[in-house]
Amino acid sequence: MLNLTKEMLMNTYDISEEVFDLYEKALTDVKDEFAYYDEIREFNQLKVLKALQDEKISESHFTNSSGYGYGDIGRDSLDKVYANIFNAESALVRPHFVNGTHAIGAALFGNLRTGDTLLSVCGMPYDTLHDIIGIGDEERVGSLKEYGVKYKMIDLKDGKVDIARIKSELENDHSIKLVHIQRSTGYGWRKSLSVDEIEEIIKNIKSVKPEVLVFVDNCYGEFIDKKEPTDVGADIVAGSLIKNIGGGIAPTGGYIAGKAECVQQASYRLTVPGIGGECGSTFGVMRQLYEGLFLAPHVAIEAVKGAVFCARIMELCGFEVLPKYNDKRSDIIQAIKFNDKTKLINFIKGIQHGSPIDSFVECEPWDMPGYEDQVIMAAGAFIQGSSIELSADAPIREPYIGYLQGGLTFDHAKIGILIGLSKLLKNN
Ligand SMILES: *Cc1c(COP(=O)(O)O)cnc(C)c1O
């Protein structure tokens, strides 16, 4: 069986014997990791199934409202299903969020006021949040900064969140209203924060200032653990529907979950005060949002398996990777340090060549809105830019770290990675 696959892979994609040997070795090495994630998948599948059943979801929830969208039962019930899954008072799940950044922006703008301080405790937040917060030299029109919301940041210390500094900041600066925690690595070289670590941070924050709100950027983290940040005291979380929780089926959108008051404040920034989440027609996407959620625990773990396999095979090839294949993960991202621009670009081009869509395209670095450096992205996806589908991207800056994530099926992730690696080795 394996030999037939081998022959097909080698003939179809010109994958060398050398890469194939690494592939077999890597697959053997990751067996225990896969068993660990299978258990998480099973647990979360049950959690999602139960939430759908508790809410008595039926065909009539696959609504197709128009106009104001008053009383869209499919939309309002999906909010309840998400709230149940997140163990939260309330949730706001909307195709009207254009992406994860938008959902995060609504959560921040909704819950901060002039004179408040936003404190980031994981170092620099994800690139697309800089314009929201107003980080950088130029005047950022429309940013929190322009509205008089101040910003402070605590760098990681030896790759860890600096709890002592957080406590002293909270004791000394009474304008801190909201603490921002980023679960995933983003474009950084650090490990994702486990939900247990997030719990520890939150306990410490609340021990000093129980009234400070804790916001967690949950992008890429959903269903990689049995718990979510809202299970351990986060007041509000947000993320994208074209990452883990949309299961590769949701065509667009974002979500927010947490304390009812916080979610309502955020809803006023998605729409306007007085309207919040009560308007917004759903154009027939509800079935996809439900089905995607149902598949998400499975798909997220397929993607994690791709990341684990990628870590192992790249490591066998001599590259430094983060996390290592046997590190416990809290997101689906695999960072690989290439230390070389050409190697990085060739690997990412290889992922594109292994995609089901646009496999014939040569991706190139370009200036993307919201990002400071040029970015190269391999994204041969059914849904534009969906990064729960196999994708790889990198800001073009030293030391040339590439980020791989997604894979609706592990079989596909594996093939994409083999093609990327072959292309890299052949061109160097
Ligand atoms: C993807 C991501 C976001 C939001 O990105 P969008 O592309 O706007 O969905 C925010 N934070 C982190 C850590 C992310 O990975």
Side-chain angles (χ1 to χ4, degrees):
M1 193 53 197
L2 200 55
N3 284 338
L4 185 60
T5 307
K6 176 174 178 175
E7 226 167 82
M8 278 176 67
L9 273 172
M10 290 173 69
N11 293 338
T12 315
Y13 296 114
D14 201 18
I15 287 167
S16 67
E17 193 83 40
E18 179 201 357
V19 169
F20 208 86
D21 290 345
L22 289 169
Y23 160 73
E24 288 186 317
K25 167 105 180 62
L27 266 190
T28 312
D29 291 349
V30 297
K31 283 219 165 68
D32 289 349
E33 302 312 310
F34 280 23
Y36 168 83
Y37 291 108
D38 282 343
E39 197 199 316
I40 292 176
R41 179 184 64 198
E42 194 172 358
F43 178 90
N44 284 322
Q45 187 67 74
L46 277 168
K47 193 200 278 187
V48 170
L49 178 64
K50 186 72 174 44
L52 291 165
Q53 293 175 348
D54 285 353
E55 207 48 50
K56 295 194 162 55
I57 299 306
S58 69
E59 171 105 30
S60 59
H61 290 91
F62 304 152
T63 43
N64 190 0
S65 57
S66 62
Y68 293 127
Y70 285 134
D72 183 319
I73 187 185
R75 182 195 66 205
D76 295 345
S77 299
L78 187 61
D79 287 349
K80 291 185 188 144
V81 171
Y82 264 61
N84 182 334
I85 289 167
F86 280 91
N87 194 12
E89 288 173 7
S90 177
L92 184 72
V93 188
R94 291 294 180 280
H96 314 102
F97 283 124
V98 300
N99 52 26
T101 305
H102 185 192
I104 294 166
L108 297 179
F109 270 101
N111 287 282
L112 287 159
R113 295 292 181 272
T114 302
D116 290 343
T117 295
L118 161 64
L119 175 68
S120 164
V121 297
C122 300
M124 204 48 117
Y126 189 73
D127 294 47
T128 60
L129 304 195
H130 299 187
D131 287 352
I132 294 176
I133 298 168
I135 299 173
D137 302 331
E138 314 145 49
E139 244 347 276
R140 307 279 182 177
V141 177
S143 65
L144 285 166
K145 185 179 173 183
E146 199 190 38
Y147 280 89
V149 175
K150 291 167 286 178
Y151 172 70
K152 274 190 179 170
M153 177 174 104
I154 298 176
D155 280 320
L156 298 178
K157 193 174 157 191
D158 310 319
K160 295 265 174 211
V161 170
D162 189 346
I163 289 183
R165 276 246 0 239
I166 299 175
K167 289 174 92 167
S168 76
E169 279 296 340
L170 287 170
E171 276 155 7
N172 295 320
D173 184 346
H174 300 293
S175 73
I176 296 168
K177 167 78 180 299
L178 183 147
V179 173
H180 175 275
I181 297 174
Q182 185 178 303
R183 177 174 178 178
S184 169
T185 56
Y187 284 143
W189 184 258
R190 68 153 170 105
K191 281 191 209 164
S192 50
L193 288 178
S194 71
V195 177
D196 285 341
E197 287 169 301
I198 291 173
E199 179 171 22
E200 174 75 12
I201 301 165
I202 295 175
K203 273 195 179 141
N204 277 285
I205 293 168
K206 300 282 182 182
S207 75
V208 181
K209 282 256 177 80
E211 70 279 16
V212 162
L213 297 177
V214 177
F215 168 81
V216 178
D217 175 349
N218 207 32
C219 282
Y220 287 131
E222 302 91 357
F223 301 136
I224 306 308
D225 201 319
K226 291 179 186 171
K227 290 180 288 188
E228 297 295 337
T230 36
D231 285 308
V232 298
D235 296 292
I236 185 162
V237 296
S240 164
L241 300 194
I242 62 167
K243 293 180 179 173
N244 307 18
I245 202 161
I249 304 290
T252 189
Y255 76 91
I256 293 174
K259 295 254 164 68
E261 162 90 28
C262 297
V263 173
Q264 185 175 48
Q265 290 284 9
S267 77
Y268 291 159
R269 290 293 161 253
L270 168 64
T271 63
V272 288
I275 303 291
E278 287 173 50
C279 279
S281 50
T282 51
F283 319 111
V285 300
M286 293 318 298
R287 187 183 56 76
Q288 286 156 287
L289 300 197
Y290 280 105
E291 188 175 356
L293 173 67
F294 177 66
L295 291 173
H298 182 89
V299 171
I301 294 303
E302 291 291 291
V304 161
K305 288 180 177 178
V308 169
F309 169 76
C310 179
R312 187 56 183 152
I313 197 166
M314 295 309 282
E315 200 173 33
L316 289 172
C317 254
F319 292 97
E320 199 184 334
V321 296
L322 197 78
K324 300 225 186 307
Y325 79 98
N326 53 1
D327 285 334
K328 291 293 166 269
R329 289 162 192 261
S330 190
D331 70 6
I332 62 167
I333 300 189
Q334 183 59 48
I336 309 138
K337 198 180 275 181
F338 291 91
N339 285 317
D340 181 291
K341 186 173 165 180
T342 314
K343 283 183 184 163
L344 167 73
I345 291 177
N346 278 324
F347 180 79
I348 290 185
K349 279 174 181 270
I351 298 292
Q352 182 78 37
H353 293 320
S355 300
I357 308 300
D358 291 333
S359 60
F360 49 87
V361 166
E362 290 291 335
C363 52
E364 303 289 349
W366 63 299
D367 297 302
M368 256 184 87
Y371 294 86
E372 274 150 30
D373 296 281
Q374 280 205 322
V375 176
I376 183 165
M377 285 198 164
F382 292 94
I383 289 165
Q384 189 195 68
S386 166
S387 46
I388 186 61
E389 300 186 46
L390 182 65
S391 49
D393 41 67
I396 303 296
R397 63 185 176 221
E398 285 180 354
Y400 302 108
I401 297 169
Y403 300 86
L404 174 127
Q405 64 273 315
L408 297 178
T409 69
F410 171 61
D411 288 321
H412 172 237
K414 201 165 65 178
I415 293 168
I417 292 158
L418 291 181
I419 297 172
L421 183 57
S422 296
K423 188 166 170 67
L424 179 163
L425 293 174
K426 213 165 291 159
N427 287 286
N428 285 281

